[in-house]
Amino acid sequence: MKIYIILWEFKKSNGACRAVANLANLLADNFDVTIVCTDTLSGKSYYPLNDKINIQHLGIPVAKNFFDKFRRKKELIVKLKDVVENNACVIGTNTTYNLILHKIRNIKRIGCEHINYEALPFIYRLMRRFIYRKLDKVVLLTEVDRKKYKFLRNTCVIPNSYSFKPKKINDYSKKNIIAIGRLTYQKGFDMLVDAAVLLKSKLPDWKVKIVGDGEDKEKLLDKIKENDVSDFISIIPPKIDVVDIYHSASIYVMSSRFEGLPMVLIEAQSCGLPIVSFDCPEGPSEIIHDNIDGYLVEKNNIQALVEKVIYLANDENLRKQFGQNAFIASERYSSDVVKSKWLELILGETK
């Protein structure tokens, strides 16, 4: 069977691209896998891919305004019909793609949602309600999100798999705190800078590193400078091989305003990192076991985030205990576990 995974582009460092690369690699030994990049004309994956996997570019221009979205949608349907073979399985990776899959005949249609239910405008939520019924399956990342799709009978939950499973866990004596992600409003790094202002006097021997790039980079750098914490918190560029970055730290912090199922938290757990995170919708509460392998604090409560980071930073034994629990807990996101769920969904039987 041929598998087509639809993605906007594949050249950047972000959680969605990482999740698609992981999924494609999981399926490549069982299927003929093609990743269809709708927005680009050329380019390779930022993340490592199995040599068997094909990448096809459609080069559809991004919509310039509301009315131009109709042009883009029509062009997308036409080009996908030309590319996709009969009896294939087509996997959409966001709401836009999922909403048009029913227009392509003689295929198995699987829609995936990588973001929490409320993150999109009302009109998209309304279209989901009626059009998603036409899909063979809608794959959600969390059980919490599944409850919000109770108007559908064709949902299932399959989490993202971790990208790697290190053979060792961290050295918890290192006085580094890390956060990884796109430098955007969603990720809440502005609140992490506010937290750094409070942490600096309490943890003078520690450092905070934000790993990422994005449209808010200059704004964040200005805020760091204005608050005189440049010697305590810094922004460093992303790396393809992030294992060393995780292993350089003793605590992972997530300050996001909303999420789907954050790849960075799954990866942090697989490296044995204790996590302090806002309990934002939707993924952190599915990954973190509060007071067992990390801490969940009230969404956007910077003071609460700071208090838990200080508590962990001042207790190396607790960091070690939480980290070892995180390493064990991450096994539920292993490649074998997640792959078996996908094979069961695609083939209709457990492999």
Side-chain angles (χ1 to χ4, degrees):
M1 178 185 288
K2 296 206 69 168
I3 304 287
Y4 296 88
I5 305 175
I6 311 173
L7 187 68
W8 54 97
E9 58 88 22
F10 214 25
K11 296 185 291 184
K12 293 182 180 178
S13 166
N14 60 52
C17 291
R18 168 71 88 174
V20 168
N22 290 351
L23 175 58
N25 286 330
L26 289 183
L27 299 178
D29 287 335
N30 298 82
F31 306 102
D32 182 353
V33 178
T34 296
I35 297 170
V36 180
C37 298
T38 61
D39 294 18
T40 50
L41 289 168
S42 63
K44 297 180 179 180
S45 168
Y46 181 87
Y47 298 103
L49 281 182
N50 188 308
D51 292 338
K52 299 177 183 177
I53 297 169
N54 303 304
I55 300 179
Q56 188 153 0
H57 301 271
L58 301 185
I60 301 174
V62 176
K64 297 178 181 179
N65 52 53
F66 176 79
F67 296 102
D68 196 32
K69 289 183 179 181
F70 294 97
R71 181 273 311 162
R72 176 177 164 82
K73 178 181 175 181
K74 183 177 180 180
E75 187 176 351
L76 183 58
I77 293 170
V78 170
K79 288 194 173 184
L80 283 176
K81 285 180 177 178
D82 288 339
V83 168
V84 173
E85 295 183 8
N86 284 341
N87 302 314
C89 175
V90 181
I91 302 172
T93 58
N94 67 21
T95 304
T96 298
Y97 302 138
N98 300 339
L99 289 172
I100 65 167
L101 287 183
H102 71 285
K103 296 286 187 179
I104 306 173
R105 298 185 181 278
N106 301 318
I107 62 167
K108 186 165 188 174
R109 307 169 186 88
I110 299 176
C112 296
E113 284 290 346
H114 288 278
I115 197 165
N116 74 79
Y117 181 75
E118 289 90 359
L120 292 180
F122 172 75
I123 185 64
Y124 282 95
R125 299 203 297 271
L126 185 63
M127 287 191 291
R128 281 171 178 161
R129 182 174 290 270
F130 295 101
I131 296 177
Y132 275 20
R133 296 173 184 175
K134 301 178 182 180
L135 301 179
D136 293 286
K137 211 70 174 181
V138 177
V139 177
L140 305 170
L141 294 175
T142 70
E143 290 292 347
V144 173
D145 221 28
R146 189 179 190 180
K147 293 176 182 177
K148 297 175 183 178
Y149 286 84
K150 59 185 178 182
F151 52 85
L152 296 176
R153 296 182 179 180
N154 58 341
T155 61
C156 68
V157 175
I158 304 179
N160 295 324
S161 66
Y162 53 56
S163 309
F164 39 76
K165 186 67 171 180
K167 295 181 179 179
K168 64 174 184 176
I169 56 179
N170 281 27
D171 173 3
Y172 301 100
S173 65
K174 296 174 181 176
K175 296 185 176 182
N176 291 320
I177 300 162
I178 61 165
I180 301 175
R182 291 284 297 167
L183 307 182
T184 63
Y185 174 81
Q186 174 195 346
K187 301 301 181 181
F189 289 128
D190 55 314
M191 290 187 284
L192 185 55
V193 176
D194 290 333
V197 174
L198 300 174
L199 287 169
K200 181 179 177 180
S201 61
K202 301 293 185 180
L203 302 173
D205 296 334
W206 285 69
K207 301 293 181 186
V208 179
K209 294 181 181 179
I210 299 173
V211 184
D213 202 356
E215 58 265 32
D216 286 354
K217 182 175 182 178
E218 293 305 318
K219 189 187 301 183
L220 289 168
L221 288 172
D222 288 343
K223 184 167 186 171
I224 289 170
K225 185 176 180 180
E226 289 167 5
N227 284 279
D228 194 28
V229 286
S230 299
D231 58 340
F232 182 74
I233 182 170
S234 59
I235 298 174
I236 63 175
K239 292 173 56 179
I240 295 177
D241 184 3
V242 293
V243 178
D244 288 344
I245 294 175
Y246 287 113
H247 281 321
S248 72
S250 292
I251 300 173
Y252 190 94
V253 175
M254 172 165 276
S255 54
S256 294
R257 292 180 166 89
F258 58 91
E259 284 288 346
L261 187 73
M263 282 297 303
V264 290
L265 294 192
I266 294 172
E267 292 175 351
Q269 275 200 342
S270 74
C271 290
L273 268 180
I275 300 167
V276 181
S277 173
F278 286 145
D279 189 10
C280 67
E282 210 70 68
S285 62
E286 292 256 339
I287 298 171
I288 301 165
H289 303 90
D290 190 39
N291 207 33
I292 295 174
D293 50 33
Y295 290 118
L296 287 166
V297 302
E298 182 185 17
K299 183 180 72 171
N300 301 342
N301 188 332
I302 296 170
Q303 184 62 48
L305 189 81
V306 167
E307 289 173 1
K308 292 301 185 183
V309 169
I310 292 172
Y311 194 67
L312 266 179
N314 287 330
D315 192 336
E316 184 175 336
N317 287 331
L318 183 61
R319 294 198 300 275
K320 184 176 181 179
Q321 176 188 330
F322 276 18
Q324 290 174 338
N325 291 340
F327 184 76
I328 294 169
S330 70
E331 191 59 30
R332 67 198 191 278
Y333 301 112
S334 72
S335 300
D336 289 342
V337 170
V338 175
K339 181 177 180 177
S340 68
K341 293 178 183 293
W342 273 102
L343 290 180
E344 182 176 2
L345 171 59
I346 295 170
L347 298 177
E349 56 185 336
T350 304
K351 296 291 183 182

